[in-house]
Amino acid sequence: MALARARRRRTPDLEEGESYYVSMTDMMVGVIFIFIIMLSYFALQFRQSTKALTEAKHPATAALLQTATALTPRDATVEVDEKARVLCVPETVIGGTGSDRRCFSYAPPTKASGLAIAASDAHKTLMGFLDADLRDAGAPLAGDTSGGALSFSADVLFEPGTSTLSAGGRKIAGDVAASLAKRLPCLSYGGSTSTTCPEGEARLALVNVVSQTNLDAFTAEGQKAAALALARSAAFHQALTGAQPVLGALRNAPANQPGSQPLLRVASVGQSQEGASQVGEGQTVSIQFQMAQ
């Protein structure tokens, strides 16, 4: 009997202890849940603010608008010195009581940043289209096109040690030319006017066919390697314009303007180094695209 009474006395204490721990657990789960909600809210706000600032035409203004949540319209006479980039408003407009003016400096609105973004977007879009075209055609691109160039191993394009395109090289040149003829007229001048192009499209300044090689400039063999690289650039250029004559008509500016040049041009790059490989070995031929600024 005494043992039974002792057990009955312990039971309420045990239940009260369990209830206490259950309450603590519920409270901690609730606190963690609230913390997660707050963290998600601040992460969303941070992402939205970052997007607003990075995509704004005038980041300084966008940053101020992040904190100015109660803008009130007021009529005021504003004085502006456009040459000095100074703007003045009556002091009463900003809460003052005097008759003085308060002046602020400002940066002039420019189109340069917008044009740079437009050119960058156009360049990225162009490279994406060219990459897709050539991979669909099975052209053996060497490397990533995101760097702004289409690159090919010279060994794939040319007969060994020569500037004569192989059968495979001629097919690659035809595939590349077809893609360029489809994409470049809207980014240049002198092409067919039958192509429907978006208004305000950014333009290309240069499409360079470049052959790159390593050479020992102080040896006869190294000098032959440099000459071969230039000859291969010219041969690939001729293959492109021969396959698609419109490419030879494209220019970086209207023909009647000073400084107008053919859009597709040729270059070679040779890096001198000791112990360079045999003539023509390891050369690459690239088509590099440079947007007008």
Side-chain angles (χ1 to χ4, degrees), residues 127-194:
M127 297 312 300
F129 281 137
L130 295 175
D131 182 85
D133 289 346
L134 296 179
R135 293 194 187 279
D136 288 344
L141 289 166
D144 190 1
T145 60
S146 61
L150 304 175
S151 298
F152 304 91
S153 169
D155 294 338
V156 175
L157 299 176
F158 298 97
E159 299 290 348
T162 74
S163 59
T164 302
L165 284 165
S166 62
R170 289 192 294 274
K171 180 184 182 306
I172 293 169
D175 292 336
V176 174
S179 181
L180 295 179
K182 184 164 54 174
R183 308 297 179 185
L184 298 191
C186 285
L187 302 174
S188 57
Y189 300 87
S192 173
T193 56
S194 62

Side-chain angles (χ1 to χ4, degrees), residues 34-52 66:
I34 293 172
F35 175 75
I36 292 173
I37 293 176
M38 292 177 64
L39 188 63
S40 301
Y41 171 77
F42 287 124
L44 179 62
Q45 290 293 105
F46 176 77
R47 185 174 65 180
Q48 291 176 341
S49 298
T50 301
K51 182 179 180 180
Q66 294 291 317

Side-chain angles (χ1 to χ4, degrees), residues 189 251 253-260:
Y189 300 87
R251 302 186 72 85
N256 59 355
Q257 287 189 6
S260 176

Side-chain angles (χ1 to χ4, degrees), residues 22-182:
V22 168
S23 299
M24 285 292 292
T25 302
D26 291 343
M27 184 178 68
M28 290 301 297
V29 170
V31 169
I32 293 173
F33 183 67
I34 293 172
F35 175 75
I36 292 173
I37 293 176
M38 292 177 64
L39 188 63
S40 301
Y41 171 77
F42 287 124
L44 179 62
Q45 290 293 105
F46 176 77
R47 185 174 65 180
Q48 291 176 341
S49 298
T50 301
K51 182 179 180 180
L53 292 175
T54 55
E55 295 183 357
K57 292 183 178 179
H58 305 286
T61 300
L64 290 173
L65 289 175
Q66 294 291 317
T67 58
T69 57
L71 292 172
T72 304
R74 294 184 181 179
D75 295 329
T77 301
V78 178
E79 299 172 287
V80 179
D81 185 333
E82 294 184 358
K83 185 176 181 181
R85 308 297 178 189
V86 174
L87 179 147
C88 297
V89 298
E91 192 174 24
T92 53
V93 174
I94 55 176
T97 57
S99 58
D100 291 340
R101 296 174 296 175
R102 294 292 295 275
C103 298
F104 309 87
S105 63
Y106 67 93
T110 62
K111 296 182 180 179
S113 58
L115 290 174
I117 293 172
S120 175
D121 290 343
H123 185 268
K124 188 181 298 183
T125 301
L126 170 64
M127 297 312 300
F129 281 137
L130 295 175
D131 182 85
D133 289 346
L134 296 179
R135 293 194 187 279
D136 288 344
L141 289 166
D144 190 1
T145 60
S146 61
L150 304 175
S151 298
F152 304 91
S153 169
D155 294 338
V156 175
L157 299 176
F158 298 97
E159 299 290 348
T162 74
S163 59
T164 302
L165 284 165
S166 62
R170 289 192 294 274
K171 180 184 182 306
I172 293 169
D175 292 336
V176 174
S179 181
L180 295 179
K182 184 164 54 174

